[in-house]
Amino acid sequence: DVLQLHYELPEPGLIGTVRVFNELGQNITTLISNNLLPVSGDLFWSGADHQHRIVPTGNYIIALSAFHPEGKISVQERCVASCVGKLR
């Protein structure tokens, strides 16, 4: 399974980073790092950490930070995603 995240930014030209943290605040993986982002789009997370291992069941924080290179605007957004094991 894959988590799909839709985002919309206030204006074009923002550089963004999206990270996934566990409940202890540890960085599990980085989905994008300092990339130019479209005004809206979708990001996907496979539930794997930076070593490509599936993470254990639990809650994870998805954090998006974006800024304009000219310093005009900065965006900080967070959401929580829950990963669960296979349902029987």
Side-chain angles (χ1 to χ4, degrees), residues 62-77:
I62 316 296
L64 177 141
S65 58
F67 65 93
H68 195 281
E70 296 174 1
K72 297 189 304 185
I73 190 167
S74 175
V75 176
Q76 301 283 325
E77 294 291 334

Side-chain angles (χ1 to χ4, degrees), residues 42-74:
D42 294 297
L43 299 170
F44 299 90
W45 180 43
S46 65
D49 65 12
H50 64 278
Q51 294 179 333
H52 309 290
R53 299 174 300 198
I54 298 299
V55 298
T57 297
N59 294 318
Y60 294 85
I61 300 162
I62 316 296
L64 177 141
S65 58
F67 65 93
H68 195 281
E70 296 174 1
K72 297 189 304 185
I73 190 167
S74 175

